[in-house]
């Protein structure tokens, strides 16, 4: 039967595809519990050694701290800018709107390395400032605002613009309307945008590599450690932890997004 | 306080969107406490006019005064108007009580007062006990009532309604028409009601403004709009109308004598807006004012000869379509089946005469 064959072919393709994506990831998890410096079969004893090393590695914990702080600030700033930008684009008629939107979304397709080089030149050479946490925040906000805008525009377009007009009509100012209607209804989008910007900033390497100065972010720190073979299993342990946390965050974000698809089933706020 | 006659005054109002003249130099007054309808085909500018009254659109030209105060540039939240949207715009993140109480926050009344007002409003719209329902647990008719209550607790001077019954099924719509009309009488607030349904406008309104392409064609009470339209467009839009083209040939006993070409000489009243001799005119007459006869009628009535083209039987009435030589459209005749008659047969191309009393015709400017 041709039909059955075709389905079998598709199934095989699907399985190979999944293996291709997830086998390397699972190998990292596997070897992070392996009591040996080299990533090679056969496996040696099972151990938590690399995990305990990781916790006591001050360079690494500092990098985690830097990354978390940057990601947090970037997520807040980008989401606020994204909400305001999306509101302007979806609700107001203004001259040159298409052009403005295009320019805001453009960083999505500009290679991050271009931002890295240009920001480094600007900050270090033109202003003569030592790059560090704040320069990375600037760079990350640049690449995160388009993501946030994209999420928020689709969210704001998803609910009836008469709702905001009804609030104005019932006597609330534009500002109060924003807080009483727009924000509650956009909340699933706001949470999704926050998580998206957070993870984007957290694992961004290129801009951070150019602008980190003395404040190495986690990806920059990990890359610098790969020169030392005995540090490799430690980074595998770290990778496994990040994988687990990312999985939880992404699942949560997706759940929020789905809940938000039907505007009538908002957050119950 | 303005005079009751010009409670809402619209003066030379225009709103252009690029090259589209959505509202085109309109002037008229709405009376205090009136149920006033804006009626017209899709895209004629009804919603735009209503949104200018609510403050959502700034007019390109002209002014709006409400109760003597210039409202032209006053933002929506400071206007004494409230709106019922076609989509109802019930806040989905709030329950029914919170929706109705939404506009009460700024009045600064106490919690107990708010609670009482909301409960009274629920009582008024016959939905007591629905206070804790969420927006997605309501039917279309219930949403419509809640949108109404939410607007009315703000005690507006003017309530604006944009096709509020458009989304309801026919039976519910007829019920709500009655309820809305009663409600308007009991609260005494001026209603400005947008609809493209002429029957709805005729049954509910004190006065109706018929709009077309951004202009107001005529403002009249329901019966005068039906019986005395002022132009062919209004006559055509409200109900069904037969039009006969001709020119004024003279006058006789106070009636105008119309030379209707191949249809011969017809007469019509010509007192209201007298047309001079030789003016091109259109004689308009409603199908239910016409009679079908099988023999030429006597003097004193208008009549034209033709052939019975088609007929349809609708139970309480029958429609006949008569082909008249020299006319492009068939003349429609509606007759009540007042007596029981089992003997209606389609007799094909039978010669018939259509006749009507002279008083039943309306003279309109010709094209
Ligand atoms: N925001 C806008 N931008 C551009 N054109 C508009 C806008 N709003 C309305 N128009 C145009 O103005 C004209 C009148 O529109 P309006 O919505 O007032 O019509 P309407 O009488 O309410 O029609 P309907 O019965 O279909 O609701 C239409 O040609 C419409 O395309
Ligand atoms: Mg409309």
């Amino acid at each position: 039967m041709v039909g059955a064959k075709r389905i079998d072919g598709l199934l095989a393709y699907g399985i190979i595809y999944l293996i291709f994506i997830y086998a390397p990831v699972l190998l990292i998890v596997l070897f992070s519990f392996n009591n040996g410096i080299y990533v090679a079969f056969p496996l040696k004893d099972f151990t938590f050694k690399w995990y305990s090393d990781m916790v006591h590695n001050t360079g690494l914990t500092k990098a985690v701290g830097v990354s978390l702080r940057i990601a947090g600030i970037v997520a807040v700033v980008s989401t606020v800018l994204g909400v305001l930008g999306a509101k302007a684009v979806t609700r107001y008629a203004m001259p040159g709107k298409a052009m403005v939107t295009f320019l805001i979304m453009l960083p999505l397709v500009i290679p991050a390395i271009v931002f890295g080089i240009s920001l480094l030149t600007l900050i270090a050479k033109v202003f003569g400032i030592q790059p560090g946490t704040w320069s990375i925040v600037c760079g990350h906000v640049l690449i995160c605002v388009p993501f946030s805008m994209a999420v928020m525009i689709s969210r704001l377009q998803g609910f009836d613009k008469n709702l905001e007009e009804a609030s104005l009509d019932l006597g609330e100012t534009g500002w109060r309307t924003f807080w009483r209607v727009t924000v509650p209804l956009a909340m699933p989008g706001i949470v999704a945008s926050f998580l998206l910007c957070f993870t984007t900033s957290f694992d961004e390497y290129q801009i951070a590599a150019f602008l980190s100065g003395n404040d190495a972010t986690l990806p920059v720190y990990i890359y610098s450690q790969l020169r030392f073979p005995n540090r490799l299993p430690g980074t595998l342990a770290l990778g496994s932890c990040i994988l687990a946390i990312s999985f939880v965050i992404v699942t949560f974000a997706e759940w929020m997004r789905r809940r938000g698809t039907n505007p009538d089933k908002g957050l119950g706020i | 306080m303005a005079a009751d006659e010009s409670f809402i005054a619209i003066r030379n109002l225009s709103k252009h969107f690029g090259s589209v003249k959505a509202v085109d130099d309109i002037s008229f007054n709405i009376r205090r406490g009136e149920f006033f309808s804006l009626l017209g085909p899709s895209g004629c500018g009804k919603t735009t006019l209503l949104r200018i009254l609510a403050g959502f659109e700034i007019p390109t030209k002209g002014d709006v005064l409400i109760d003597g105060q210039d409202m032209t540039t006053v933002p929506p939240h400071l206007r004494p108007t409230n709106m019922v949207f076609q989509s109802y715009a019930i806040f989905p993140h709030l329950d029914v009580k919170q929706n109705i109480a939404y506009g009460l926050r700024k009045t600064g009344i106490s919690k107990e007062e708010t609670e009482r007002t909301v409960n009274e409003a629920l009582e008024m719209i016959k939905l007591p006990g629905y206070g804790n329902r969420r927006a997605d647990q309501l039917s279309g008719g219930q949403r419509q009532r809640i949108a109404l209550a939410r607007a009315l607790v703000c005690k507006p001077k003017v309530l604006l309604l944009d096709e509020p019954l458009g989304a309801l099924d026919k039976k519910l719509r007829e019920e709500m028409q009655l309820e809305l009309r009663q409600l308007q009488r009991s609260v005494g607030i001026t209603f400005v009601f947008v609809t493209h349904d002429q029957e709805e406008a005729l049954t509910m309104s004190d006065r109706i403004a018929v709009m077309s392409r951004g202009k107001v064609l005529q403002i009249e009470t329901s019966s005068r709009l039906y019986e005395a339209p002022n132009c062919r467009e209004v006559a055509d839009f409200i109900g069904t109308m037969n039009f006969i083209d001709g020119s004024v040939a003279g006058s006789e006993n106070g009636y105008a004598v119309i030379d209707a070409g191949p249809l011969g000489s017809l007469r019509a009243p010509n007192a209201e807006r007298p047309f001079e001799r030789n003016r091109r005119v259109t004689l308009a007459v409603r199908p239910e004012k016409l009679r079908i006869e099988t023999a030429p009628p006597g003097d004193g009535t208008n009549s034209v000869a033709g052939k019975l083209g088609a007929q349809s039987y609708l139970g309480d009435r029958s429609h006949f379509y008569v082909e008249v030589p020299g006319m492009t459209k068939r003349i429609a005749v509606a007759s009540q089946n007042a007596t029981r008659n089992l003997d209606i047969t389609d007799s094909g191309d039978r010669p018939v005469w259509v006749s009507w009393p002279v008083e039943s015709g309306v003279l309109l400017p010709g094209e």
Side-chain angles (χ1 to χ4, degrees):
Chain A
M1 277 204 352
V2 182
K5 260 216 188 103
R6 268 195 49 173
I7 289 172
D8 285 346
L10 269 181
L11 189 69
Y13 169 75
I15 290 171
I16 292 169
Y17 183 80
L18 287 177
I19 290 174
F20 180 72
I21 293 182
Y22 289 108
V25 174
L26 291 176
L27 277 183
I28 286 185
V29 179
L30 188 65
F31 280 103
S32 73
F33 294 108
N34 183 29
N35 190 3
I37 292 179
Y38 300 104
V39 178
F41 290 103
L43 293 170
K44 307 236 177 71
D45 306 332
F46 180 86
T47 178
F48 277 119
K49 181 168 81 180
W50 309 119
Y51 285 86
S52 70
D53 276 9
M54 182 181 78
V55 177
H56 296 111
N57 182 341
T58 49
L60 188 142
T61 48
K62 179 165 172 269
V64 170
V66 170
S67 273
L68 286 178
R69 201 170 75 221
I70 291 177
I73 298 168
V74 167
V76 170
V77 172
S78 308
T79 301
V80 169
L81 293 178
V83 171
L84 299 180
K87 167 100 177 151
V89 166
T90 53
R91 297 290 190 263
Y92 299 102
M94 49 185 173
K97 185 156 93 176
M99 192 65 197
V100 170
T101 316
F102 175 73
L103 286 177
I104 293 175
M105 300 310 261
L106 196 60
L108 280 178
V109 292
I110 293 181
I113 197 166
V114 175
F115 284 119
I117 295 170
S118 51
L119 276 174
L120 182 64
T121 315
L122 186 73
I123 290 170
K125 296 287 181 282
V126 179
F127 294 146
I129 305 169
Q130 169 72 26
T133 304
W134 288 105
S135 45
I136 301 176
V137 168
C138 291
H140 284 182
V141 166
L142 272 178
I143 54 168
C144 284
V145 165
F147 287 126
S148 174
M149 282 274 285
V151 171
M152 294 316 303
I153 285 176
S154 77
R155 180 69 202 165
L156 290 190
Q157 276 170 347
F159 68 79
D160 187 0
K161 119 180 181 305
N162 283 348
L163 291 170
E164 285 161 316
E165 287 181 345
S167 168
L168 293 172
D169 189 63
L170 291 165
E172 293 291 16
T173 59
W175 179 242
R176 293 281 315 173
T177 294
F178 181 72
W179 285 109
R180 286 189 80 183
V181 176
T182 316
V183 169
L185 289 176
M187 192 47 84
I190 291 173
V191 173
S193 155
F194 183 89
L195 295 176
L196 187 64
C197 294
F198 190 93
T199 48
T200 303
S201 165
F202 191 75
D203 70 3
E204 202 284 333
Y205 176 74
Q206 296 172 64
I207 290 177
F210 278 98
L211 299 175
S212 61
N214 292 330
D215 303 333
T217 63
L218 192 59
V220 176
Y221 176 81
I222 291 175
Y223 191 73
S224 72
Q225 297 302 296
L226 291 182
R227 281 172 294 160
F228 313 109
N230 58 341
R231 301 273 174 81
L232 185 58
T235 56
L236 293 187
L238 181 68
S240 306
C241 291
I242 296 174
L243 191 67
I245 294 169
S246 305
F247 181 76
V248 171
I249 291 180
V250 169
T251 311
F252 179 65
E254 185 60 18
W255 179 72
M256 284 299 299
R257 200 184 63 75
R258 291 214 182 165
R259 273 193 68 152
T261 321
N262 179 354
D264 280 354
K265 293 212 172 91
L267 270 181
I269 323 171
Chain B
M1 288 282 255
D4 285 356
E5 271 300 305
S6 56
F7 184 61
I8 301 176
I10 293 165
R11 303 264 171 269
N12 302 101
L13 197 69
S14 290
K15 175 72 189 180
H16 301 179
F17 296 106
S19 62
V20 179
K21 293 179 177 172
V23 172
D24 191 8
D25 198 22
I26 285 180
S27 300
F28 64 90
N29 293 327
I30 297 175
R31 295 176 191 142
R32 186 193 298 276
E34 185 168 39
F35 197 117
F36 191 90
S37 292
L38 299 172
L39 174 66
S42 186
C44 70
K46 308 177 296 281
T47 299
T48 306
L49 182 52
L50 205 68
R51 288 172 58 83
I52 292 174
L53 294 180
F56 296 129
E57 308 280 359
I58 307 284
T60 313
K61 246 182 46 220
D63 308 293
V64 173
L65 282 81
I66 297 177
D67 206 4
Q69 295 192 317
D70 188 357
M71 286 287 146
T72 316
T73 54
V74 175
H77 69 275
L78 298 177
R79 293 199 182 202
T81 58
N82 281 113
M83 180 126 163
V84 175
F85 291 83
Q86 177 163 18
S87 62
Y88 308 144
I90 302 293
F91 301 119
H93 58 300
L94 302 176
D95 66 20
V96 168
K97 261 187 188 161
Q98 290 166 322
N99 261 287
I100 295 178
Y102 193 92
L104 295 175
R105 189 199 68 91
K106 60 160 202 303
T107 62
I109 59 173
S110 68
K111 249 194 160 138
E112 296 75 41
E113 185 91 5
T114 305
E115 180 85 17
R116 224 196 52 226
T117 312
V118 169
N119 286 334
E120 277 171 16
L122 283 170
E123 208 68 54
M124 172 188 77
I125 56 170
K126 303 191 186 102
L127 290 176
Y130 277 67
N132 297 320
R133 294 263 189 127
R134 290 167 44 104
D136 54 0
Q137 298 168 323
L138 299 166
S139 71
Q142 291 167 342
R143 283 162 178 257
Q144 201 270 336
R145 287 164 210 235
I146 288 155
L148 203 62
R150 184 177 70 178
L152 285 176
V153 293
C154 296
K155 301 202 166 45
K157 288 182 181 172
V158 179
L159 189 70
L160 308 168
L161 305 102
D162 191 359
E163 307 206 17
L165 310 179
L168 308 180
D169 62 55
K170 191 165 182 293
K171 193 164 174 297
L172 191 56
R173 195 151 92 209
E174 280 163 9
E175 246 174 73
M176 287 306 300
Q177 287 173 0
L178 278 178
E179 264 183 45
L180 209 56
R181 185 68 237 234
Q182 274 165 11
L183 188 72
Q184 192 267 338
R185 291 227 170 91
S186 68
V187 293
I189 293 174
T190 308
F191 276 33
V192 183
F193 182 90
V194 164
T195 179
H196 64 256
D197 180 337
Q198 40 140 331
E199 247 175 71
E200 190 167 284
L202 292 176
T203 47
M204 297 178 77
S205 322
D206 290 320
R207 284 192 307 156
I208 301 168
V210 181
M211 293 181 66
S212 170
R213 280 169 271 119
K215 297 266 191 200
V216 170
L217 300 177
Q218 188 172 12
I219 300 178
E220 265 305 349
T221 59
S222 302
S223 57
R224 289 206 39 94
L225 207 55
Y226 188 80
E227 302 292 354
N230 68 357
C231 65
R232 192 163 167 158
E233 214 174 337
V234 171
D236 207 16
F237 188 70
I238 313 276
T240 316
M241 187 72 99
N242 297 298
F243 297 106
I244 300 167
D245 292 322
S247 60
V248 182
S251 71
E252 190 185 295
N253 302 340
Y255 297 121
V257 179
I258 314 295
D259 172 12
L263 277 62
S265 180
L266 300 168
R267 278 172 299 155
N270 192 19
E272 212 156 336
R273 287 154 299 169
F275 292 98
E276 312 122 41
R277 218 181 150 91
N278 293 332
R279 259 295 297 269
R280 297 287 307 161
V281 289
T282 300
L283 174 55
V285 55
R286 299 267 179 213
E288 72 275 10
K289 312 265 195 289
L290 302 178
R291 272 171 58 83
I292 288 212
E293 330 235 3
T294 46
D299 278 352
T301 61
N302 285 316
S303 79
V304 296
K307 278 186 305 186
L308 185 56
Q311 63 182 61
S312 56
Y313 176 73
L314 287 100
D316 57 338
R317 69 215 127 97
S318 295
H319 289 173
F320 301 92
Y321 299 93
V322 179
E323 278 163 23
V324 178
M327 281 183 74
T328 44
K329 269 184 83 179
R330 293 182 298 189
I331 291 185
V333 181
S335 77
Q336 291 290 322
N337 296 327
T339 53
R340 198 151 172 264
N341 183 1
L342 298 174
D343 196 27
I344 295 176
T345 49
D346 196 349
S347 46
D349 292 340
R350 188 147 49 118
V352 290
W353 283 262
V354 175
S355 74
W356 66 96
V358 172
E359 283 297 337
S360 303
V362 181
L363 269 195
L364 304 172
E367 329 241 83

